[in-house]
Amino acid sequence: MSASSVKVNRKENSNHDGAEETSEKEQQEAIEHIDEVQNEIDRLNEQASEEILKVEQKYNKLRQPFFQKRSELIAKIPNFWVTTFVNHPQVSALLGEEDEEALHYLSRVEVTEFEDIKSGYRIDFYFDENPYFENKALSKEFNVNESGDPVSKSTEIKWKAGKDLTKRSGQTPNKAGKKRQHEEPESFFTWFTDHSDAGADELGEVIKDDIWPNPLQYYLVGSLSAAAPEKL
């Protein structure tokens, strides 16, 4: 190898090293700029969340008179809520025969989101005088504790003697005369005593996000099916 070629290679290596140094410096500067831009994006996202929350709060208040009017109209329809629950695929899966009988006394359901919305909500069930429990109302509330963890609490059900549906036999006859098998005694009303996973309470979320916005669509499921013409 000639001396001249060695000199050229050394020069090339020197240029390559310089290019790497420049590239690393540019990358570091780019990373710093990306971080600055990301901070701006995060700031806008936080601002958007605050504004969206204000809009939700505004329209939540505007909806209240209509929810009240709807409740007054629903009160004129016998068995509206039990029919709605029975027609809902997820809720009906939780209902035993005796649960359905008890829910025939359910006269009103109310869902109340707390003012800041993000902190939680409450579901209230109002009952007429019934042979199962003394309570006129049963409630379950979802919120966050001081640590920011989701928690729930509910009304203690004052069962009448021998009527505690949460302690019923795990074998309950349904309307078809068959028997539903349960590994453990289950009831819709055990939901009021289950606080194991308040952050993922499926029944609460279904009632709040699916049924409450438009319960009529589930109430009408059976009647619409019956009214549908038979296919030839």
Short mmCIF file of all heavy atoms in Angstrom, two decimals, residues 39 81 94 170 219:
data_model
loop_
_atom_site.label_atom_id
_atom_site.label_comp_id
_atom_site.label_asym_id
_atom_site.label_seq_id
_atom_site.Cartn_x
_atom_site.Cartn_y
_atom_site.Cartn_z
N ASN A 39 -44.20 18.32 24.70
CA ASN A 39 -44.75 19.06 25.85
C ASN A 39 -45.90 19.97 25.43
O ASN A 39 -46.88 20.11 26.15
CB ASN A 39 -43.65 19.87 26.52
CG ASN A 39 -42.67 19.00 27.29
OD1 ASN A 39 -43.00 17.89 27.70
ND2 ASN A 39 -41.45 19.50 27.48
N TRP A 81 -89.26 -1.04 33.92
CA TRP A 81 -87.84 -1.30 34.17
C TRP A 81 -87.50 -2.78 34.20
O TRP A 81 -86.45 -3.20 33.69
CB TRP A 81 -87.40 -0.61 35.46
CG TRP A 81 -87.25 0.86 35.28
CD1 TRP A 81 -88.06 1.85 35.77
CD2 TRP A 81 -86.26 1.53 34.50
NE1 TRP A 81 -87.62 3.08 35.35
CE2 TRP A 81 -86.51 2.92 34.58
CE3 TRP A 81 -85.16 1.09 33.76
CZ2 TRP A 81 -85.71 3.86 33.94
CZ3 TRP A 81 -84.36 2.04 33.11
CH2 TRP A 81 -84.63 3.40 33.20
N LEU A 94 -77.95 -12.14 34.27
CA LEU A 94 -77.75 -12.09 35.71
C LEU A 94 -79.03 -12.32 36.50
O LEU A 94 -79.00 -12.41 37.72
CB LEU A 94 -77.16 -10.73 36.12
CG LEU A 94 -75.87 -10.29 35.42
CD1 LEU A 94 -75.52 -8.87 35.83
CD2 LEU A 94 -74.74 -11.24 35.76
N GLY A 170 -78.65 -22.33 44.63
CA GLY A 170 -78.02 -22.09 43.34
C GLY A 170 -78.79 -22.71 42.20
O GLY A 170 -78.40 -22.60 41.05
N TYR A 219 -86.85 -1.67 26.25
CA TYR A 219 -88.23 -1.98 26.63
C TYR A 219 -89.02 -2.46 25.41
O TYR A 219 -89.85 -3.36 25.51
CB TYR A 219 -88.90 -0.74 27.23
CG TYR A 219 -90.37 -0.95 27.51
CD1 TYR A 219 -90.80 -1.63 28.64
CD2 TYR A 219 -91.34 -0.46 26.62
CE1 TYR A 219 -92.15 -1.84 28.89
CE2 TYR A 219 -92.69 -0.66 26.86
CZ TYR A 219 -93.09 -1.35 28.00
OH TYR A 219 -94.43 -1.56 28.23
#
